[in-house]
Amino acid sequence: MTEPKTDTLHVPGAVLHYDVRSAGSSTHPVLLMIGSPMGAAGFVTLAGHFADRTVVTYDPRGSGRSQRTDGALETTPDEHADDLHRLIAALDTGPVDIFATSGGAVNALALVARHPEQVRTLVAHEPPVFAELPDSGPVLAACTDIHETYLRSGFGPAMAKFIAIASLQGPVPADYADQPAPDPAAFGLPADDDGSRNDPLVGQNMPSCPAYKHDFDALRAAPTRIVVAVGEESGQVVSGRAAVAVAERLGEPPATFPGGHDGFLGGEYGGMGKPDAFAATLRAVLGDS
């Protein structure tokens, strides 16, 4: 595998930055690793475990190097899916394999529903498809509140609410919105508002990502092999429970992966999962020898 080569792709409303780690004459399909809002920087460790493949990573619109050019304050899974469609077409390598995590898995599922011919295998790791949860009402209400808190009070208070619900074990109570707001300082977050409103997580992608309604008929009919993955440590938090719900809608059991929602991280963003075991599981699921 070579050092990553960065390129750009102009798409409606944004300029995407993506990195290609070439494996030369590899016979494996290109492996696209995606998150949202997490960009390419989060996949450095995982990509290193696939030196026998050409690996492509990118920054989704509104994140990292891929800034929007249209001034829009909301980014939807349909926009992200269209970006992925254009990126895969620009690679011009034929159908790809995709490892997609978190919001990236939501976007990749939207892509497969529209363009299944572009994807051979999709491993959708803990897609936060909260609309499919039995407790979707309070969960989506909390997501709307997070976004409104961000618009009203800034990043710290909104992110504190996001961390609180993302780490909550089990179903979200119906009266969750009535509970006291968490203290940003408890999470090492600033309470002061710096005035910015361009955060991709609690701003642009919230609540459009978790509230997205997938076309499960199209996904079940797609020739793409879809494997929904859930972390061994995160099965009872909202992201893991949502993954199980998506797998049920697709009619296939989820695959268990090492670690939690960040099980693939190897120090990126200060997070440490179980990257060696995670990569071995991903390789086995993809069918690599």
Side-chain angles (χ1 to χ4, degrees):
M1 178 183 286
T2 64
E3 289 297 311
K5 178 183 178 182
T6 300
D7 209 339
T8 59
L9 178 66
H10 289 258
V11 297
V15 179
L16 305 180
H17 286 67
Y18 64 97
D19 305 311
V20 179
R21 294 169 171 83
S22 177
S25 58
S26 172
T27 58
H28 293 297
V30 166
L31 176 56
L32 181 58
M33 296 181 176
I34 62 172
S36 182
M38 189 185 73
F43 296 104
V44 174
T45 299
L46 187 59
H49 284 274
F50 289 86
D52 57 332
R53 279 180 174 254
T54 293
V55 176
V56 177
T57 57
Y58 91 126
D59 292 348
R61 69 166 57 210
S63 298
R65 301 163 294 174
S66 298
Q67 293 305 300
R68 298 198 67 132
T69 57
D70 57 5
L73 299 179
E74 180 187 34
T75 303
T76 68
D78 286 331
E79 287 181 296
H80 285 304
D82 186 65
D83 290 345
L84 291 168
H85 163 62
R86 294 170 186 269
L87 174 58
I88 294 169
L91 294 174
D92 195 25
T93 59
V96 302
D97 287 343
I98 299 180
F99 169 72
T101 186
S102 194
V106 173
N107 303 335
L109 288 166
L111 166 70
V112 169
R114 292 182 172 193
H115 302 285
E117 75 284 351
Q118 289 189 308
V119 186
R120 187 192 74 154
T121 297
L122 165 62
V123 180
H125 179 245
E126 299 206 349
V129 186
F130 298 158
E132 297 302 320
L133 289 170
D135 51 332
S136 61
V139 177
L140 292 177
C143 292
T144 298
D145 178 60
I146 289 168
H147 181 68
E148 291 176 348
T149 299
Y150 178 60
L151 296 180
R152 182 176 62 249
S153 304
F155 176 77
M159 194 62 187
K161 288 184 175 182
F162 174 81
I163 295 172
I165 194 168
S167 56
L168 182 68
Q169 296 281 327
V172 175
D175 63 349
Y176 184 82
D178 299 327
Q179 298 180 13
D183 180 4
F187 302 102
L189 295 165
D192 295 334
D193 184 359
D194 65 5
S196 65
R197 294 295 185 272
N198 59 354
D199 184 79
L201 175 58
V202 295
Q204 295 182 36
N205 294 337
M206 184 76 73
S208 61
C209 175
Y212 187 77
K213 296 283 191 177
H214 287 280
D215 186 344
F216 285 99
D217 288 338
L219 290 170
R220 287 189 292 266
T224 303
R225 175 175 171 250
I226 302 173
V227 178
V228 179
V230 61
E232 63 184 358
E233 299 172 4
S234 50
Q236 293 305 308
V237 298
V238 284
S239 59
R241 293 193 298 115
V244 173
V246 170
E248 289 177 351
R249 290 294 306 272
L250 294 175
E252 296 290 341
T256 301
F257 271 60
H261 194 63
D262 60 354
F264 56 92
L265 291 182
E268 296 88 345
Y269 308 111
M272 179 56 71
K274 299 178 178 179
D276 295 348
F278 193 100
T281 302
L282 177 57
R283 185 176 287 279
V285 168
L286 290 172
D288 291 5
S289 57

